[in-house]
Amino acid sequence: GVVHSHRGKRGGYTLREIPQELTLGKILRAIDGPLAPVPCVSASGYEPCEDCPSEGDCLIRIAMKEVREAISRVLDLKTLDKLLLQGSRTGQEPMFHI
């Protein structure tokens, strides 16, 4: 859902959203799936841990939830246009490798 394909002689791919609204979080979720480091803290791909006796008491889960929220906060605020602008300020050529 991030790109749209056009068939034919003048075909190719275009973004479905404008760069000012397309976030890195959305792109990475479309390519790699949930951003959470472990499935039990995923907002979109939640799965309980097989050997966890109590999610509510799991200290690792609490820490991983903080990690997920930090990752989401950064990637969901960084839009494609901001990323390109940041690169142009440093003199870097735009390059994306996903």
Side-chain angles (χ1 to χ4, degrees):
V2 175
V3 295
H4 178 73
S5 64
H6 304 276
R7 299 180 87 164
K9 184 177 179 181
R10 302 192 81 195
Y13 295 93
T14 56
L15 294 174
R16 286 190 177 259
E17 297 181 39
I18 60 173
Q20 294 83 353
E21 295 177 4
L22 186 57
T23 66
L24 287 182
K26 186 169 187 172
I27 293 168
L28 292 174
R29 284 181 187 96
I31 294 169
D32 292 333
L35 299 175
V38 291
C40 70
V41 297
S42 177
S44 60
Y46 169 83
E47 289 183 27
C49 296
E50 293 177 17
D51 56 351
C52 184
S54 172
E55 280 186 357
D57 297 324
C58 181
L59 298 178
I60 299 294
R61 183 174 191 269
I62 293 168
M64 289 297 116
K65 189 171 184 180
E66 288 180 35
V67 170
R68 186 212 67 212
E69 290 169 359
I71 291 169
S72 295
R73 196 170 30 255
V74 171
L75 296 178
D76 290 337
L77 291 176
K78 185 72 73 171
T79 58
L80 195 55
D81 73 314
K82 286 180 185 175
L83 189 66
L84 290 170
L85 183 60
Q86 183 179 346
S88 69
R89 288 184 185 150
T90 62
Q92 294 176 320
E93 289 291 319
M95 178 177 68
F96 296 98
H97 184 257
I98 298 178

